[in-house]
């Protein structure tokens, strides 16, 4: 009840802000969406420029498929479009937070928790500016989180990939999510995304040939048409480097060096996380760095990042609260916006100061990537002081066994295993199993009898498996790519090559347990 009241108060306050302030109902981008898409009918789509008062010219810069999707807005009275878009953005933000919490493994009080997150999220700089301008970013983030949430089956991977491709046809930036499918070892999703995007291009080429040729033949890649690259509100790598050197670096060698550094750091960051949301965040923030234009309102992914740092796998890393505090400061203070105000109204800050403080979002991104890498390395460095036992849980519910799909190392990525992990100093096998399942799956289990014989692992480690009863929670892939339940018949028919080698010898006994045969009586 309190959570709902706080969210309602935040929304009402925002609507009052819209009424009382000039920028509150600016909606310049929504005007471009609505008025510009009307040009689809007479071929003037890419001739259109918004006639209102703006800092720079605002033409229609999205692909032609976006105009197809947005065209119905031109048929609706402006006031209805404005209030409807604003309310829909609130709803989409709330839905994004629900999905992010679920990807973090939250299963209880999710809706109330989402309301508590949404209330302040409305006022962070990316969301605030998104609401000011009537931008589409939150809707694209919602579609991306939906696609990732669906990726628990081949059908869901294909559907999610297709959704990503369609969104890339509306605005090119979601295309970066194709890397998530590759990083998560779900290449069919990337194929589906590419296919759906090509469909949007060919469909528009068939229906609107001149407009489509104009965009993809002439306008595609023209960053200056979107806006001034060197403006402080452009928080991309290109914008940041351009402010430091005093001119647009374009795609020349300076930008290429920056791209190479960002790519290397992002790859190491990706190798340092293993859960679906963590990988997605690395991909999205890398995309924000790489895009020629990343206005501050594009950085709405800071909201799922904060949730990951509080509720997800990130929360279990040392220093998570410090990283969270950094992002709260960056997103709450609105440093680029403050700089923009001083540039417009004075006193104008020195160029060096503008460049340094104007790099807030990219710098915070590199710091976060470095933290991901460092905390993974710190865990690896302590491995030599721990016991040599590893435990795995055969979680069985209603005659079905849970297996988890590994994300690393590369030679095991994509294969299925009994979830578990290394025993810490001073822990019993049972205590270690309870802790590992809580960390990896967000569930509580009660260890029972052992399964099979211990298995020797590289590094003088020994793997022990135990039947585990689910006490509470819904197992969720917090540090794996996916989880799946198997009956005895499904397990027998499953390709043994898809299971990690260490667990393969246990399959007959696990099938017997699922059939109801006591452990040890497998014949």
């Amino acid at each position: 009840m309190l959570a709902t009241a706080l969210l309602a108060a935040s929304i009402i306050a925002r609507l009052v802000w819209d009424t009382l302030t000039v920028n509150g109902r600016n909606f310049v981008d929504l005007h471009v969406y609505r008025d510009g898409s009307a040009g689809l009918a007479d071929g003037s789509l890419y001739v259109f420029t918004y006639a209102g008062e703006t800092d720079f010219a605002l033409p229609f810069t999205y692909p032609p498929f976006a105009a197809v999707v947005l065209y119905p807005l031109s048929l609706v009275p402006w006031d209805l479009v404005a209030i409807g878009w604003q309310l829909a953005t609130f709803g989409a933000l709330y839905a994004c937070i629900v999905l992010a919490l679920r990807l973090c493994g939250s299963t209880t009080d999710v809706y109330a928790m989402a309301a508590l997150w949404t209330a302040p999220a409305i006022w962070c700089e990316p969301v605030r500016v998104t609401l000011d301008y009537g931008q589409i970013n939150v809707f694209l983030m919602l579609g991306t989180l939906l696609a990732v949430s669906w990726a628990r089956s081949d059908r869901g991977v294909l559907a999610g990939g297709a959704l990503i491709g369609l969104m890339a046809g509306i605005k090119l930036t979601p295309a970066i999510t194709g890397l998530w499918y590759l990083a998560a070892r779900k290449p069919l999703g990337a194929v589906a995304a590419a296919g759906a995007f090509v469909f949007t291009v060919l469909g528009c080429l068939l229906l609107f040939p001149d407009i489509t040729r104009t965009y993809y033949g002439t306008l595609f890649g023209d960053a200056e048409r979107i806006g001034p690259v060197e403006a402080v509100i452009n928080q991309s790598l290109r914008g940041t480097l351009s402010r430091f050197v005093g001119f647009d670096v374009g795609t020349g060698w300076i930008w290429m060096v920056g791209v190479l550094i960002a790519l290397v750091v992002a790859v190491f960051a990706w190798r340092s996380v293993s859960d679906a949301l963590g990988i997605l965040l690395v991909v999205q923030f890398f995309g924000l760095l790489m895009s020629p234009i990343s206005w501050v309102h594009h950085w709405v992914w800071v909201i799922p990042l904060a949730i990951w740092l509080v509720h997800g796998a990130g929360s279990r890393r040392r220093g998570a609260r410090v990283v969270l505090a950094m992002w709260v400061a960056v997103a709450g203070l609105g440093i680029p916006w403050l700089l923009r105000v001083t540039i417009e109204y004075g006193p104008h800050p020195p160029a060096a100061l503008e460049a340094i403080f104007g790099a807030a979002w990219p710098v915070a991104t590199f710091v976060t990537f470095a933290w991901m890498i460092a905390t993974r390395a710190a865990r690896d460095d302590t491995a030599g002081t721990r016991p040599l036992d590893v435990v795995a849980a055969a979680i069985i519910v209603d005659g079905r066994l849970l297996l988890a799909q590994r994300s690393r190392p590369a030679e095991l990525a994509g294969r299925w295993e009994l979830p578990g992990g290394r025993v810490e100093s001073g822990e019993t096998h049972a205590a270690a199993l309870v802790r590992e399942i809580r960390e990896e799956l967000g569930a509580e289990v009660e260890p029972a009898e052992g399964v099979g014989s211990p298995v020797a692992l590289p590094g003088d480690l020994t793997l022990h498996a135990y039947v585990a009863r689910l006490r509470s929670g819904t197992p969720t892939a917090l540090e794996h790519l996916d989880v799946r339940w198997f009956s005895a018949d499904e397990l027998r028919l499953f390709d043994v090559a898809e299971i990690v080698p260490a667990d393969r010898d246990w399959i007959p006994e696990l099938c017997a347990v699922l059939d109801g045969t006591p452990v040890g009586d497998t014949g």
Side-chain angles (χ1 to χ4, degrees), residues 377-435:
R379 287 191 297 175
D380 292 344
D381 289 342
T382 61
T385 64
R386 297 154 66 189
L388 297 178
D389 287 345
V390 180
V391 290
I395 303 173
I396 297 174
V397 176
D398 296 331
R400 298 172 74 83
L401 171 74
L402 183 137
L403 294 182
Q405 189 178 35
R406 293 198 62 143
S407 63
R408 64 172 188 245
E411 61 271 17
L412 296 179
R415 296 185 182 180
W416 298 82
E417 68 171 0
L418 297 177
R422 188 85 172 263
V423 177
E424 300 287 355
S425 299
E427 276 187 325
T428 63
H429 284 197
L433 203 65
V434 170
R435 174 183 54 76

Side-chain angles (χ1 to χ4, degrees), residues 131-213:
L131 291 166
D132 285 349
Y133 294 164
Q135 254 284 341
I136 201 171
N137 308 302
V138 173
F139 298 107
L140 298 178
M141 180 168 69
L142 175 59
T144 302
L145 289 168
L146 274 174
V148 170
S149 299
W150 292 343
R152 297 187 179 280
S153 65
D154 289 342
R155 182 177 297 178
V157 167
L158 290 172
L163 177 59
I164 295 298
L166 293 175
M167 290 194 301
I170 297 172
K171 187 174 183 178
L172 297 173
T173 49
I176 194 70
T177 310
L179 293 180
W180 181 84
Y181 286 102
L182 299 179
R185 274 82 178 185
K186 299 177 185 292
L188 284 178
V191 172
F197 176 71
V198 170
F199 168 80
T200 68
V201 176
L202 295 180
C204 288
L205 188 61
L206 178 64
L207 298 174
F208 311 101
D210 293 338
I211 285 175
T212 305
R213 290 193 188 97

Side-chain angles (χ1 to χ4, degrees), residues 302 305-306 308-310 314-331 363-365 367-372 375:
V302 70
L305 172 61
W308 183 76
L309 289 169
V310 174
S315 65
R316 294 186 287 277
R317 294 170 177 253
R318 181 175 299 177
R321 292 184 180 180
V322 176
V323 176
L324 176 66
M326 174 190 68
W327 281 108
V328 168
V330 170
V363 167
T365 298
V367 169
T368 302
F369 284 172
W371 168 75
M372 290 176 174
T375 49

Side-chain angles (χ1 to χ4, degrees), residues 89-402:
T89 302
F90 293 138
L93 178 63
Y94 176 80
C96 286
I97 292 173
V98 169
L99 291 174
L101 287 168
R102 292 199 182 282
L103 285 171
C104 287
S106 299
T107 57
T108 57
D109 298 325
V110 171
Y111 299 112
M113 197 181 304
L116 290 174
W117 273 95
T118 306
I122 288 171
W123 297 96
C124 76
E125 184 180 29
V127 178
R128 178 182 61 78
V129 179
T130 289
L131 291 166
D132 285 349
Y133 294 164
Q135 254 284 341
I136 201 171
N137 308 302
V138 173
F139 298 107
L140 298 178
M141 180 168 69
L142 175 59
T144 302
L145 289 168
L146 274 174
V148 170
S149 299
W150 292 343
R152 297 187 179 280
S153 65
D154 289 342
R155 182 177 297 178
V157 167
L158 290 172
L163 177 59
I164 295 298
L166 293 175
M167 290 194 301
I170 297 172
K171 187 174 183 178
L172 297 173
T173 49
I176 194 70
T177 310
L179 293 180
W180 181 84
Y181 286 102
L182 299 179
R185 274 82 178 185
K186 299 177 185 292
L188 284 178
V191 172
F197 176 71
V198 170
F199 168 80
T200 68
V201 176
L202 295 180
C204 288
L205 188 61
L206 178 64
L207 298 174
F208 311 101
D210 293 338
I211 285 175
T212 305
R213 290 193 188 97
T214 296
Y215 181 81
Y216 289 104
T218 305
L219 304 178
F220 183 80
D222 184 0
E224 285 291 346
R225 189 170 181 270
I226 301 173
V229 172
E230 299 170 56
V232 72
I233 57 172
N234 178 18
Q235 291 290 296
S236 70
L237 193 60
R238 179 171 163 181
T240 299
L241 293 173
S242 297
R243 288 189 292 275
F244 272 101
V245 300
F247 60 87
D248 180 9
V249 298
T251 54
W253 71 269
I254 297 176
W255 183 76
M256 291 298 294
V257 171
V259 167
L260 181 60
I261 294 172
L263 177 61
V264 171
V265 174
V267 168
F268 276 100
W270 156 56
R271 296 297 299 273
S272 301
V273 296
S274 57
D275 63 298
L277 183 56
I279 295 172
L280 179 64
L281 291 169
V282 172
V283 168
Q284 295 300 329
F285 277 82
F286 174 67
L288 288 164
L289 290 176
M290 302 308 299
S291 177
I293 299 288
S294 289
W295 305 129
V296 289
H297 49 267
H298 293 170
W299 292 78
V300 289
W301 283 97
V302 70
I303 304 301
L305 172 61
I307 292 169
W308 183 76
L309 289 169
V310 174
H311 301 284
S315 65
R316 294 186 287 277
R317 294 170 177 253
R318 181 175 299 177
R321 292 184 180 180
V322 176
V323 176
L324 176 66
M326 174 190 68
W327 281 108
V328 168
V330 170
L333 292 175
I335 297 172
W337 180 79
L338 292 175
L339 284 171
R340 182 182 180 187
V341 170
T342 59
I343 291 169
E344 290 183 2
Y345 302 104
H348 196 294
L353 197 64
E354 179 185 343
I356 292 170
F357 284 96
W361 291 83
V363 167
T365 298
F366 277 108
V367 169
T368 302
F369 284 172
W371 168 75
M372 290 176 174
I373 297 166
T375 49
R376 166 69 188 280
R379 287 191 297 175
D380 292 344
D381 289 342
T382 61
T385 64
R386 297 154 66 189
L388 297 178
D389 287 345
V390 180
V391 290
I395 303 173
I396 297 174
V397 176
D398 296 331
R400 298 172 74 83
L401 171 74
L402 183 137

